[in-house]
């Protein structure tokens, strides 16, 4: 293969847009046009291989790509059902979902203890089988390629094992999840093959940048005015912050300005708690880039 680092990505779907956005935030410049299998990154020796998500683990394993971005659910399923040389190099935090067992509301299956002797429809036979054997449950798998949520209503299975994010699809089909068997997020995967020195250097650089992008998306800069007497209590409330900067305010002896970098999400509840301690003029600002 050439000395351009090749990254396998989902061409279109629930992973695609966030994968493209992540790489763009890392400074890669590229354009995705309909149809093409390969997109060239203009400002770095990187090519993007645009494929179906299910093919990404095996492409990485078989050297068609050096690394890939795929749902952990797909990676684990492929690891369990085939010979695969691909493991997680970094968790990416987007495309979060759960692989769940679900059954019709008011039906015979209400929990995993009701599963023995029943049929479970799924597109994830590997992960489902592992769960059943770990739990000592003897049930029959009905493998489907899609539309698993319809299986109970057409009478091919008593329950399903499928991906859930908001639960809206389950609800629309009169189903309720009763057991989570895998939690998933997008992951960056690679094989155990050694890369050339140039590719190794490029991959390290990319991983550091991805870390920076993920960290800065969760990190906020918080600014507020606070009564001097409450600075300690207020600092305690700031999520994941080191010692804040505390500065006097011109012409005001009671209040000081407090500024801090918070490395965890700042929720409305935190702001309400800060206000209750006397904090005023609270600003939460995004941080665009970070490197430590
Ligand atoms: P492809 O055409 O590439 O095979 P697909 O239809 O198999 O696409 P998508 O529906 O685009 O796949 O989902 C891709 C991944 O997004 C899933 O494997 C999963 O990791 C993640 N995902 C997040 N939320 C959900 C959800 N509610 N349902 C399905 N997948 C989800
Ligand atoms: Zn797919």
């Amino acid at each position: 293969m050439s000395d351009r680092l090749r990254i396998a990505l989902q061409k279109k779907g629930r992973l695609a847009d966030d994968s493209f956005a992540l790489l763009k935030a890392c400074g890669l410049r590229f354009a995705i046009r309909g149809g093409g299998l390969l997109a060239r990154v203009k400002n770095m020796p990187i090519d993007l291989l645009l494929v179906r998500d299910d093919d990404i683990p095996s492409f990485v394993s078989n050297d068609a790509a050096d690394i890939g971005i795929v749902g952990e659910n797909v990676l684990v399923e492929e690891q369990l059902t085939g010979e695969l040389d691909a493991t997680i190099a970094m968790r990416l935090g987007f495309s979060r979902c759960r692989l769940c067992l679900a059954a019709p509301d008011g039906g015979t299956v209400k929990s995993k203890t009701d599963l023995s002797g029943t049929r479970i429809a799924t597109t994830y036979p590997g992960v489902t089988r592992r769960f059943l054997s770990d739990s000592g449950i003897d049930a029959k798998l009905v493998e489907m390629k899609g539309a698993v949520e319809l299986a109970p209503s057409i009478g091919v299975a008593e329950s399903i094992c499928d991906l859930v994010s908001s639960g809206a699809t389950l609800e629309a089909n009169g189903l309720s999840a009763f057991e989570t068997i895998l939690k998933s997020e997008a992951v960056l995967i690679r094989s155990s093959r050694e890369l050339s020195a140039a590719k190794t250097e490029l991959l390290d650089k990319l991983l550091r940048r991805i870390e920076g992008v993920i960290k800065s998306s969760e990190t906020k800069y918080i600014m507020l005015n606070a009564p001097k007497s409450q600075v300690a209590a207020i600092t305690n409330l700031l999520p994941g912050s080191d010692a804040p900067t505390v500065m006097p305010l011109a012409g005001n002896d009671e209040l000081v300005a407090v500024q801090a970098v918070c490395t965890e999400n700042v929720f409305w509840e935190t702001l309400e708690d800060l206000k209750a301690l006397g904090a005023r003029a609270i600003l939460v600002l995004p941080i665009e880039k970070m490197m430590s």
Side-chain angles (χ1 to χ4, degrees):
M1 250 204 309
S2 78
D3 228 31
R4 295 175 71 80
L5 186 76
R6 190 178 280 186
I7 311 178
L9 300 173
Q10 190 191 30
K11 187 190 195 71
K12 199 166 151 260
R14 286 181 160 109
L15 283 164
D17 290 344
D18 286 344
S19 302
F20 299 147
L22 174 67
L23 296 179
K24 287 196 165 154
C26 289
L28 279 67
R29 284 175 36 218
F30 57 88
I32 305 292
R33 289 190 201 87
L37 188 64
L38 266 187
R40 229 176 138 79
V41 174
K42 295 178 193 120
N43 57 336
M44 289 183 196
I46 297 178
D47 288 329
L48 310 179
L49 181 67
L50 305 167
V51 293
R52 291 197 53 185
D53 68 340
D54 316 72
D55 291 330
I56 292 173
S58 71
F59 281 175
V60 169
S61 178
N62 295 322
D63 209 11
D66 298 303
I67 59 173
I69 294 180
V70 71
E72 201 174 350
N73 52 306
V74 171
L75 173 70
V76 175
E77 179 64 25
E78 300 287 313
Q79 281 171 335
L80 290 172
T81 48
E83 283 281 300
L84 201 70
D85 175 13
T87 50
I88 298 176
M90 192 175 277
R91 302 186 157 273
L92 302 174
F94 60 85
S95 289
R96 282 183 195 275
C97 56
R98 299 174 294 139
L99 190 61
C100 289
L101 285 161
D105 302 319
T108 50
V109 176
K110 292 182 187 63
S111 76
K112 65 176 178 178
T113 52
D114 304 323
L115 288 171
S116 286
T118 65
R119 298 161 301 169
I120 306 170
T122 187
T123 53
Y124 293 88
V127 188
T128 310
R129 203 167 277 128
R130 179 177 70 175
F131 169 81
L132 293 175
S133 92
D134 287 353
S135 314
I137 297 167
D138 185 20
K140 187 169 180 287
L141 288 192
V142 179
E143 288 189 38
M144 293 178 69
K145 293 288 175 203
V148 168
E149 66 280 2
L150 301 179
S153 64
I154 56 175
V156 291
E158 284 69 43
S159 66
I160 67 169
C161 184
D162 203 10
L163 288 178
V164 180
S165 48
S166 68
T169 309
L170 288 184
E171 201 177 309
N173 288 283
L175 302 165
S176 295
F178 57 85
E179 182 89 24
T180 295
I181 69 168
L182 182 82
K183 283 190 180 150
S184 176
E185 64 187 279
V187 291
L188 190 143
I189 59 170
R190 62 165 299 172
S191 76
S192 61
R193 280 186 313 280
E194 203 167 314
L195 298 176
S196 69
K199 280 188 185 179
T200 301
E201 196 180 316
L202 188 55
L203 177 57
D204 283 345
K205 184 187 224 172
L206 182 64
L207 290 174
R208 297 293 83 76
R209 288 191 185 183
I210 292 175
E211 261 172 11
V213 169
I214 294 173
K215 231 174 164 184
S216 65
S217 72
E218 290 166 352
T219 304
K220 298 283 179 274
Y221 197 74
I222 188 158
M223 302 167 70
L224 53 87
N225 293 341
K228 269 185 194 161
S229 58
Q230 297 286 23
V231 168
I234 281 175
T235 306
N236 270 336
L237 273 187
L238 297 175
S241 73
D242 294 335
T245 307
V246 179
M247 290 170 291
L249 283 174
N252 190 324
D253 278 343
E254 261 119 69
L255 294 179
V256 287
V258 177
Q259 301 185 1
V261 174
C262 294
T263 56
E264 292 160 28
N265 265 322
V266 180
F267 296 105
W268 282 110
E269 287 75 9
T270 312
L271 301 190
E272 285 154 6
D273 293 345
L274 289 168
K275 195 156 184 249
L277 285 174
R280 292 290 173 268
I282 309 172
L283 294 180
V284 180
L285 310 175
I287 289 177
E288 193 177 288
K289 290 191 176 67
M290 275 185 81
M291 195 170 278
S292 44

